[in-house]
Amino acid sequence: MGHSMATGRFANSMSSALRHPGVIALIVAGVTIAAMLIVDHGPWNRAKTQPAHVAMYATTGEAARAAGAAVLPTEQKSPVEPERPGPKTSPTVNPVTP
């Protein structure tokens, strides 16, 4: 009889403790943090990066296509648009070869 009464008291105290707003808030916070960790650090959320010596592209269009972006042609320059002031620059050359 004593064991049954102690078990009943323990169950009653646990039941009343779980109804306390502070305990409910702690449980919700724990579940939320666990869900955030699973979503943010899951295996599906890894960066798909390449080292610099592999990801060498001659143009920004090539780099954009490699990243999965749609590359659209730019509009032609208007004939009434003035020339850019200053000296003309030469294209830069990348001295590193893949």
Side-chain angles (χ1 to χ4, degrees), residues 8-98:
R9 254 190 301 168
F10 176 74
N12 193 16
S13 67
M14 284 299 293
S15 174
S16 65
L18 287 176
R19 281 183 270 162
H20 190 273
V23 174
I24 294 171
L26 285 174
I27 292 170
V28 170
V31 170
T32 303
I33 290 172
M36 285 174 36
L37 288 173
I38 290 170
V39 169
D40 288 345
H41 299 290
W44 54 84
N45 202 13
R46 298 283 181 243
K48 294 165 184 64
T49 58
Q50 295 176 333
H53 69 278
V54 174
M56 299 282 289
Y57 302 106
T59 64
T60 54
E62 285 180 21
R65 278 189 277 288
V71 180
L72 304 173
T74 57
E75 294 181 18
Q76 295 296 325
K77 191 163 93 170
S78 169
V80 295
E81 189 174 329
E83 289 292 321
R84 191 178 78 157
K88 301 227 185 248
T89 58
S90 63
T92 57
V93 178
N94 190 356
V96 179
T97 56

Side-chain angles (χ1 to χ4, degrees), residues 1-6:
M1 173 135 174
H3 179 65
S4 157
M5 203 159 127

